[in-house]
């Protein structure tokens, strides 16, 4: 079937490639003419303006917007003015689900149908497929089933959970999760969990990296808690090998562990990374939801706050800790 894609960054461009490989017709638009040209050379219909983009689509149109969360509203406003009742607008980025609820209501007033689709898979999605978490109107979701089916990974070699009644799209890697916002709500929690799992691997591997600190023990320094048993921390552990090992039969085997093994193999000391970890909002929104609900989420919260600290946002707090320690005990910082 035909789909229009606005936004040809890493995600949007590869999704178009996967759709074309699956036999779909794609009309593409991006603020960058080069990005449009590149996909036109691969078989897409390139448009040099939003007007030309909309004109190239058959009604009822399906327009997938794949742009950063912060610019979705502006793009929706522009494209909405060109669409007709019955057309479907899909936001496949990482939008806040509460924005989806509002957008779906606003667009419905003009007879437009809005779907929110949490899209997971990153740069690997072209080959592996994209896990799709879909929210919105049921008829609109059903009409786009061929698109979702092609983008999704498919069952592959992962059999359904034992005892699960056969059928349904979840086992193909896409799911209509509920009404407007439900897709991005589920993606938000997915990313909250992603933060927590990433933090768990990062902390665990860091403790293993430091398993040799007994070799350089500074217990003579009165301002540092003495290492009581330096002899207990004499291990130079092969971190890349351990990641590789755990991928086989261990309880923590997972795709994030596979990626941990990749990262440590490519660059054992990770020297090209500063360690300042960005966040795009999903982790924060997960915590907002947990607080709204009164649902405990200590692990996910800690992992989001850890990212802020990684960027130095705790610098003043740490200085105040030192200052207070000096105030009450005359303790000076170790130089
Ligand atoms: O499932 C996915 O493919 C990822 O979760 C992806 O959608 C993620 O949002 C960004 O790669 C980075 O997100 P942060 O900037 O919040 O780490």
């Amino acid at each position: 079937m035909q789909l229009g894609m606005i936004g040809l960054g890493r995600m949007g461009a590869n999704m178009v490639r996967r759709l074309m490989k699956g036999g779909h017709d794609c009309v593409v638009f991006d603020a960058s003419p080069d990005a449009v040209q590149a996909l036109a050379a691969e078989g897409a219909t390139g448009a040099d303006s939003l007007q030309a983009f909309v004109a190239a689509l058959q009604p009822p149109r399906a327009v997938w917007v794949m742009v950063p969360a912060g610019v979705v509203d502006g793009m929706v406003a522009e494209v909405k003015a060109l669409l007709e009742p019955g057309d479907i607008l899909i936001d496949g980025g990482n939008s806040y689900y509460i924005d989806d609820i509002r957008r779906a209501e606003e667009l419905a007033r003009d007879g437009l149908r809005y779907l929110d689709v949490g899209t997971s898979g990153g740069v690997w999605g072209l080959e592996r497929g994209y896990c799709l978490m879909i929210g919105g109107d049921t008829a609109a979701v059903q009409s786009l089933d061929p698109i979702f089916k092609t983008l999704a990974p498919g069952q592959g070699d992962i059999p359904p959970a034992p005892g699960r009644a056969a059928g349904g799209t979840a086992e193909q890697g896409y799911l209509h999760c509920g009404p407007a916002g439900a897709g991005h709500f589920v993606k938000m929690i997915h990313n909250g969990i992603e933060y927590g799992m990433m933090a768990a691997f990062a902390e665990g591997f860091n403790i293993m990296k430091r398993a040799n600190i007994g070799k350089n023990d500074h217990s003579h320094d009165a301002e540092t808690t003495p290492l009581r048993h330096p002899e207990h921390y004499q291990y130079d552990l092969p971190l890349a090998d351990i990641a590789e090992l755990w991928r086989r039969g261990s309880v923590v085997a997972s795709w994030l562990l596979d990626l941990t093994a990749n990262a440590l193999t490519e660059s054992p000391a990770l020297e090209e990374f500063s360690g300042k970890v960005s966040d795009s909002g999903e982790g924060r929104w997960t915590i907002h939801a947990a607080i709204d609900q009164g649902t405990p989420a200590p692990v996910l919260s800690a992992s989001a706050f850890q990212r802020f600290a990684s960027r130095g946002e705790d610098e003043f707090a740490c200085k105040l800790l030192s200052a207070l320690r000096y105030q009450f005990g005359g303790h000076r910082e170790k130089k």
Side-chain angles (χ1 to χ4, degrees):
M1 71 181 282
Q2 190 192 47
L3 182 90
M5 179 69 77
I6 298 176
L8 304 175
R10 282 193 299 271
M11 291 292 285
N14 279 344
M15 290 167 72
V16 167
R17 291 189 177 104
R18 189 170 171 91
L19 286 170
M20 292 195 298
K21 201 170 153 205
H24 299 283
D25 290 330
C26 293
V27 180
V28 298
F29 175 73
D30 190 276
S32 154
D34 288 349
V36 173
Q37 283 301 320
L39 278 172
E42 294 177 41
T45 302
D48 59 7
S49 68
L50 270 182
Q51 286 76 5
F53 170 82
V54 171
L57 291 166
Q58 315 283 337
R61 301 170 184 84
V63 175
W64 192 302
V65 178
M66 205 66 197
V67 298
V71 300
V72 173
D73 273 327
M75 182 52 73
V76 166
E78 272 189 72
V79 76
K80 168 183 148 180
L82 302 167
L83 295 179
E84 294 173 324
D87 290 348
I88 303 172
L89 196 57
I90 306 124
D91 175 15
N94 277 338
S95 285
Y96 191 23
Y97 78 98
I98 292 175
D99 290 334
D100 294 318
I101 296 171
R102 168 181 53 78
R103 278 186 210 125
E105 283 171 8
E106 286 169 5
L107 291 166
R109 284 185 218 129
D110 292 326
L112 300 174
R113 296 175 290 169
Y114 175 84
L115 299 182
D116 51 284
V117 181
T119 306
S120 183
V123 292
W124 300 72
L126 174 60
E127 291 307 320
R128 285 171 47 120
Y130 300 89
C131 176
L132 303 175
M133 298 148 252
I134 308 164
D137 173 73
T138 301
V141 174
Q142 283 169 351
S143 71
L144 289 175
D145 189 76
I147 296 290
F148 296 139
K149 201 184 197 67
T150 302
L151 285 173
Q155 186 168 306
D157 56 3
I158 306 171
R164 183 186 155 81
T169 63
E171 53 201 59
Q172 302 298 321
Y174 65 106
L175 182 68
H176 183 202
C177 300
H184 277 145
F185 189 94
V186 174
K187 179 62 165 50
M188 171 182 82
I189 301 303
H190 168 279
N191 281 35
I193 292 170
E194 179 181 293
Y195 283 32
M197 289 177 68
M198 289 167 71
F201 281 122
E203 290 181 13
F205 276 86
N206 195 28
I207 296 170
M208 289 195 289
K209 182 169 173 21
R210 291 169 51 77
N212 62 1
I213 58 167
K215 291 184 169 180
N216 299 304
D217 181 32
H218 296 296
S219 56
H220 56 278
D221 182 341
E223 288 299 319
T224 304
T225 304
L227 193 57
R228 282 190 300 170
H229 293 288
E231 70 276 18
H232 293 172
Y233 301 97
Q234 298 288 327
Y235 306 118
D236 291 308
L237 294 175
L239 300 187
D241 286 345
I242 293 166
E244 191 67 29
L245 167 76
W246 285 352
R247 296 177 64 206
R248 291 173 173 74
S250 90
V251 169
V252 297
S254 61
W255 193 46
L256 282 172
L257 178 65
D258 296 349
L259 298 179
T260 303
N262 287 2
L264 293 173
T265 302
E266 282 167 18
S267 173
L270 304 175
E271 275 150 347
E272 67 273 46
F273 297 96
S274 71
K276 293 183 176 148
V277 188
S278 298
D279 74 295
S280 308
E282 305 265 1
R284 303 178 190 211
W285 302 332
T286 298
I287 301 168
H288 290 323
I291 290 172
D292 275 352
Q293 296 173 341
T295 304
V299 171
L300 307 193
S301 304
S303 63
F305 286 121
Q306 182 193 40
R307 291 198 181 194
F308 308 155
S310 79
R311 308 194 295 253
E313 311 297 358
D314 60 351
E315 188 183 349
F316 186 73
C318 293
K319 284 184 175 178
L320 188 54
L321 289 179
S322 267
L324 290 174
R325 201 162 164 272
Y326 177 70
Q327 286 286 326
F328 62 67
H331 305 292
R332 295 193 179 277
E333 285 182 333
K334 187 184 162 214
K335 294 292 174 215

